[in-house]
Amino acid sequence: MSEKKKSNIYNFFINKKDNCNNSNNYKGTLEPPQSSSGVIRKNIQTDGGEKKKIKIVRKYNSDYLKFGFIQEPNSDLHPLPLCVVCSDLLSNDAMKPSKLERHFQSKHKNLANKPIEYFEIMRNDMRKQVITMKKMTIEDKSLLKASYLVALQIAKNKKPYTIGEDLIKPCMLQAGKVVLGKQAVKKLNEIPMSANTIKRRIEEMADDIENQVITMVKNSPFYSIQLDESTDLSNKALLLCFVRVEYGGELQEELLCSLNLPGRTTSSEIFEALVSYFQKHGIERKKCIGICTDGAANMVGHLSGIVAKVKNVSHPDILSTHCILHREQLASKKMSPELHKVLSDVIKIVNHIRHKALNSWLFESLCEEMGSQYTHLLHVEVRWLSRGKILIRLFTLLGSQACISGRYFLLLNELNISIQGQLKNVFTVRDQMDAIQKKILLWQTRLAEEDLQMFQHFDEYMKEKDVNQRVVAIVQQHLESLTESFCRFSPKKEDPRHGNMWIIDPFAANNENNKLNMSEKESLIDLSFDSPLKTKFLELSKSHFWLYVKNEYPLLSEKAMKILIQFSTTYLCEKTFSSVTVIKTRYRSQLEISKALRLAVTTLEPKLHEILQNKQEQISH
């Protein structure tokens, strides 16, 4: 071997030795050196030039199984030693052969002569237990979710809480036994459905829905509300407040709150309850731009009503509307003595027949012998929606006046139904009111000409019998009175359509007479000549369209939405009070219904994944 080659080999080993001895020179550019104990270290050079040694972690070695230790399954980032014999979990600092052996000798010395296969079997058994526990956790979560879903359906259908344990669960078990087998029944039986459990589930989901509604109100640029109060079965005063907001690119209506009024239902009590709720949840009252009520004195009183208090405290420009449903009933309430007598007689007759089972049976037999079209009478409730049909059925018994009254009440029924429903705007409702008034004027003209085609049954009756013309005069007088009442309760000066028809059709040619400033008029002109938007206008609803152009025409969009977001009726409150009577029966007279009521009327879905996230599993027992 040449001297040069010997010199190269000598230099190689010298450099290798220096690198091993001077490991502090490592600056993290290569894999850090690892000690025999499994500790990974690396050197970091500080700003002052000093080299600081930082301990990272100790790694697990498969040889540690001879001491009965495996790596804890959920400790990949920071390994922890887990004893397969006693299930003790040690710290990462104990990941040393000496410390692991010390634990083994002090606690499991009797296993010192066991082969490695013995600990492998214990390791495999422990892994199976972990998999089983994970499976049980997932299944228990599914049982918990099933319990929430059942509670949600109970609330939506306004049923008592006990129905889960008394009816739903037995039916599930019987059906599961027949269809799925005994193993499925065993699992279904673990779903918790006791009355107290269902009650807690409903309360948690109702709180989640309430938080969603409050978030919607806070994120909406403005909102409107409708208020109404009534008493329940136990004579407790209940105040309902629905809200209409702009959320997710559309208008949404939800129950904001149902509040118990502890004292009298005065405007002060109602106002304090509302203010307290708004302050508690951080809702800005100044963002409320509209309030719709039923027209009661404590609501619309000029000096001390709710509306007056809101204007004085929040902002004076809030728009107050009187429910058009109540206006229509007030306008049609006045009736001539002759027509009122017909209605009273009908109610007495029907109540007498329906009061006793024997009377109903005799009446049914009589109708069958006469070959009548109907064999039963409708049950009388003092509501507009039932009177028209009842009077039509009794036409053959009470004659022409019953027929005219029936046709008149059917017309009011049609009006009531047409202006009810969700997301009704003031333009649609006013148009339907105008259509009814036009029909009444047409009737007056036809009656003056002795044309009775609009009263089909009355026209047939007139052709068959000689009816006194005084009946026609009575009806004519009543229709004239009705027209005056509609004009009085729905004056033209309060018509929100005046100056705002551009909202209904921004592309119309006659949009000059509008309540817009110069900048808004210029924007309206630009919009009216936008052909793609005209196509979009035909595809979308009014509210969707104005929200669609929000970024391009912000001034027009905001002005339009402040009108469209207004409530025109208290339909939602009236409908919800009907739900109150179903939920709070004489068997549940002491029930606090605010939570169940919210789930019964909401269109939102509770966020079960968030509710279940930190929920402890519970198995039925």
Side-chain angles (χ1 to χ4, degrees), residues 299-316:
M299 294 289 182
V300 297
H302 293 290
L303 299 178
S304 60
I306 288 293
V307 176
K309 291 181 180 296
V310 171
K311 288 184 177 181
N312 293 333
V313 176
S314 299
H315 58 88

Side-chain angles (χ1 to χ4, degrees), residues 52-69:
K52 185 178 180 181
K53 186 182 295 183
I54 299 178
K55 182 178 70 172
I56 302 179
V57 288
R58 296 180 182 273
K59 297 294 184 180
Y60 175 77
N61 193 307
S62 59
D63 293 338
Y64 296 163
L65 184 60
K66 66 183 179 182
F67 303 121
F69 280 91

Side-chain angles (χ1 to χ4, degrees), residues 235-266:
N235 292 327
K236 292 183 179 179
L238 182 66
L239 175 68
L240 296 181
C241 177
F242 275 83
V243 64
R244 181 182 286 179
V245 298
E246 173 193 332
Y247 188 77
E250 60 182 0
L251 291 182
Q252 294 195 25
E253 298 172 338
E254 281 294 331
L255 175 64
L256 179 60
C257 59
S258 56
L259 306 175
N260 293 317
L261 301 176
R264 297 176 296 175
T265 57
T266 61

Side-chain angles (χ1 to χ4, degrees), residues 376-400:
H376 295 83
L377 288 175
L378 297 175
H379 182 66
V380 171
E381 295 180 354
V382 187
R383 294 180 182 176
W384 293 105
L385 296 181
S386 61
R387 295 180 180 181
K389 295 180 180 180
I390 292 170
L391 289 167
I392 291 297
R393 284 202 178 187
L394 284 177
F395 161 64
T396 55
L397 299 177
L398 295 180
S400 60

Side-chain angles (χ1 to χ4, degrees), residues 224 244 289-291 319 424 562-568:
S224 65
R244 181 182 286 179
I289 62 172
I291 178 171
L319 179 62
K424 292 282 186 178
K562 285 185 175 180
I563 301 297
L564 294 174
I565 206 171
Q566 301 291 337
F567 282 108
S568 56

